[in-house]
Amino acid sequence: MLDLTQLPTDTPGARDVVHFNNAGAALMPRIVLDTVFRHMQQEAHLGGYEAAESAVRPRRWA
């Protein structure tokens, strides 16, 4: 169940605008932003193909 009072807190852009353009371009919640940023950092360090591979099959560290 969604907590409607928490949603604006979880979506940084919702603090600044009322956004009605939801047709495939909704404001991203924090968890999506964090995931995309984390993946882009992996691409910067590993390369695009390696980051994609690690996203499909996470590495097991000893």
Side-chain angles (χ1 to χ4, degrees), residues 7 9-13 15 27-38:
L7 289 176
T9 303
D10 292 343
T11 306
R15 289 183 293 231
L27 297 174
M28 287 188 264
R30 172 60 52 198
I31 192 166
V32 172
L33 290 169
D34 291 345
T35 302
V36 170
F37 289 154
R38 193 168 37 252

Side-chain angles (χ1 to χ4, degrees), residues 16-51:
D16 303 320
V17 298
V18 176
H19 192 266
F20 293 115
N21 183 9
N22 296 345
L27 297 174
M28 287 188 264
R30 172 60 52 198
I31 192 166
V32 172
L33 290 169
D34 291 345
T35 302
V36 170
F37 289 154
R38 193 168 37 252
H39 184 77
M40 292 189 73
Q41 287 175 330
Q42 280 190 316
E43 282 192 7
H45 291 280
L46 302 175
Y49 291 124
E50 291 80 1

